[in-house]
Amino acid sequence: QVQLVESGGGSVQAGGSLRLSCAASGDIASWHCMGWFRQAPGAEREEITSIGSDGWTSYADSVKGRFTISQDNAENTLYLQMNSLKPEDTGMYYCAAGLRKAWYGGTWHCTPGYWGQGTQVTVSS
């Protein structure tokens, strides 16, 4: 049974930073990709960044240059460093692990197979 547990969410003022973590029960190196998804109030869940086991990364335009995804295979942990946060970054952030990737929109995307429970990020202006 795969378990993904996010942490690190909270409330921050615009311009601030947060670092999210996702602790995985399995060997993340064996999964094809992992990603962070965000669901704002009243909106659909969207992929904001993903990382592949072969090193590729992708970012949504809305977070490019501000967010950085990384993973520590030895610790089985996925990270999301979020800088220069904006009120529109507010939402529930979910970690996902995937066994497949897909190419569209000019970049790779991780197809989620497992989800964490989410961690809330609130950015005030």
Side-chain angles (χ1 to χ4, degrees):
Q1 184 73 16
V2 174
Q3 285 190 326
L4 303 171
V5 180
E6 302 94 335
S7 62
S11 296
V12 64
Q13 288 193 327
S17 298
L18 283 173
R19 189 192 195 201
L20 305 184
S21 299
C22 172
S25 61
D27 180 6
I28 65 173
S30 68
W31 296 329
H32 206 85
C33 55
M34 296 192 73
W36 288 97
F37 291 69
R38 175 174 69 197
Q39 187 163 19
E44 293 187 355
R45 193 175 300 187
E46 61 172 343
E47 180 188 24
I48 58 172
T49 179
S50 293
I51 184 168
S53 59
D54 53 358
W56 60 264
T57 58
S58 66
Y59 294 90
D61 289 343
S62 61
V63 305
K64 203 171 291 183
R66 300 187 297 121
F67 290 11
T68 303
I69 189 171
S70 62
Q71 64 183 48
D72 184 330
N73 292 343
E75 297 293 328
N76 283 334
T77 303
L78 180 73
Y79 299 100
L80 179 64
Q81 178 66 44
M82 305 187 294
N83 298 327
S84 302
L85 282 161
K86 303 176 181 180
E88 51 263 43
D89 293 319
T90 293
M92 187 70 78
Y93 283 69
Y94 297 90
C95 168
L99 299 177
R100 293 188 295 116
K101 63 181 180 183
W103 177 269
Y104 57 88
T107 189
W108 288 111
H109 297 268
C110 188
T111 302
Y114 305 97
W115 293 97
Q117 84 290 348
T119 185
Q120 177 68 35
V121 171
T122 302
V123 184
S124 58
S125 57

